[in-house]
Amino acid sequence: MLSILVHILLLTAPALAATAEEWSTRTIYQIITDRFATSDDAVHPCDTNQRKYCGGTWKGIIRHLDYIQNMGFDAIWISPVSANLEGNTTYGEAFHGYWTQDFTALNSHFGTDQDLRDLSAALHSRGMLLMLDVVINHVAAPSIPGKDGFTLDGFYHPFTDRSYFHPQCFVGDSRDQSVIEQCWLGDEAVPLPDLNTEDERVVQLFGDWVRNLVRQYSVDGLRIDTAKHIRKDFWPGWGQAAGVFTMGEVLTDETAYAAPYTDVLDAILDYPSYFQLFRVFSSPQGRFSDAVAALQRAQAAYRNGLFRTGSFIENHDQPRLASATQDRALITNAMVFSFVHDGIPITYYGSEQGYQGGGDPSNREALWLSAYEEDKPLFRLLQSLNAARRQAMASSPNFLKTPMQFYAVEEHSVAVLKPPMLALLTNVGSDTSQGARWIVPRAFAPHALLIDVLTCAPVLADANGGVDIVSQYGMPQVRPFLRACLVRAAASLH
Ligand code: ABC
Ligand code: CA
């Protein structure tokens, strides 16, 4: 009897209940579901300024999994799936999925229950993982009808009673943590009524909700929206109910503020490093010394160092890098960095196509307008970087456990060593006669043959295993052993 019971439990468990360790071997492609692909591949117009639904669906994602997998990604993060506020507001429609109106129903704009199951199954059959974005801090109300906030109108299942919510007050730019946790995000135009996550009934209902969500759609991981707006001691119990990898959004530029969240969640999106990295890669004025200091602070302060953090240079809330600089050398350097990072590289959809949108809503362009062209320099760059990371993991069991080290830290260049990878980065840009030179002593075996992932050029380490390299046109160099490159480099040696 017992063995049958165990058997049934196993059968109903998610197909791949991916652990944090499993996720750390992955690279993630972040998708705004409404903007990635339509069900029939019809080329709907999509004016980002309108902030309206443009027609992207879960079916559309399934149709274009080859595109994502060809780039080398083995996980995707999609928009929140719950039913959202309908109709127009001062800030447009809820195409982004962050304005929940019913936790017990799906957002029908994105497809049906079966479509979401199909997406999950399609990913798993390719060995890919599914990360859902979840919003449990708040719901959204159309506007403030009276002094006291919002109407329930049968909305917000299962939180259909006013007593499930904190009383109305806005977070604004308060730095008071109890205000950040218990007041409302949004504003009078689109208030985001805050759930009372201090109330045991809410804790219970959200535990049940996430357990079901994960099970029903065989979800492998969760990106947690607005994690800093809920008390820290809420998270461990909730994470246990979820039973899968959790990565929280803690929007701050302060490492010390972000660090405690790494104790209560599996991981966080590494925003403090992001701000420094954006500065350094968006202009030759940025200084690597500042960025390296921020990265080292995070390595020291977070529970697992930078391991398992989400490493990104773009997302749906921040201006794209190409809106700040169109210098291909700077953009290439930035993309390289995320792949030698200790954490999980996350690429925001559209960067492979050179999309240039500024802040929200301009950074949420429709990908179908690019025709999913794969023969593009940044698409190929991502292919090489994904292949290099995979090869580094395969050739060195310690790759994922060795913290990156910084050498030759200059204002405008740095060498990042994460054996067997060595990334030589610079932000001098392509429009300069100024070169960059990296001297890294004793990084490899004496006279080791190193291959540049990006150019496939071979280089020999010196008698002490050191390298001394000068850059060309501000381009980065990445030097592990990469099989495809080794073959090409060997050919070019004749
Ligand atoms: C809409 C419009 C915007 C308009 C806004 C008022 O309303 O589109 O143009 O300005 C969703 C939608 C948005 C929508 C919002 C609000 O809902 O995607 O389009 O904006 O209705 C998450 C998601 C985000 C999502 C929500 C809401 C939350 O990633 O996509 O937005 O579910 C705060 C939260 C953060 C949240 C973010 C939007 O707001 O903490 O979780 N993101 C400071 C604060 C941060 C604050 C940030 C932006 O400002 O500290 O807490 O984020 O308001 C650094 C500082 C930081 C500073 C940043 C900006 O600069 O160190 O402290 O952050 O240098
Ligand atoms: Ca809250």
Side-chain angles (χ1 to χ4, degrees), residues 21-68:
E21 205 171 331
E22 170 65 20
W23 273 96
S24 66
T25 67
R26 302 293 175 137
T27 59
I28 304 175
Y29 184 73
Q30 183 197 346
I31 287 173
I32 298 274
T33 304
D34 181 61
R35 302 293 160 90
F36 178 71
T38 57
S39 296
D40 56 0
D41 270 345
V43 183
H44 300 281
C46 183
D47 174 359
T48 52
N49 287 327
Q50 297 279 318
R51 308 179 204 225
K52 297 267 167 71
Y53 279 100
C54 286
T57 61
W58 297 315
K59 260 195 180 139
I61 300 176
I62 298 173
R63 294 172 73 99
H64 290 279
L65 287 179
D66 277 347
Y67 173 84
I68 299 169

Side-chain angles (χ1 to χ4, degrees), residues 137-138 166 180-183 194-195 197-198 229-231:
N137 174 65
H138 53 261
H166 285 133
I180 291 173
E181 288 171 8
Q182 297 182 24
C183 287
D194 200 70
L195 279 145
T197 38
E198 279 69 28
H229 298 279
I230 292 183
R231 65 189 165 93

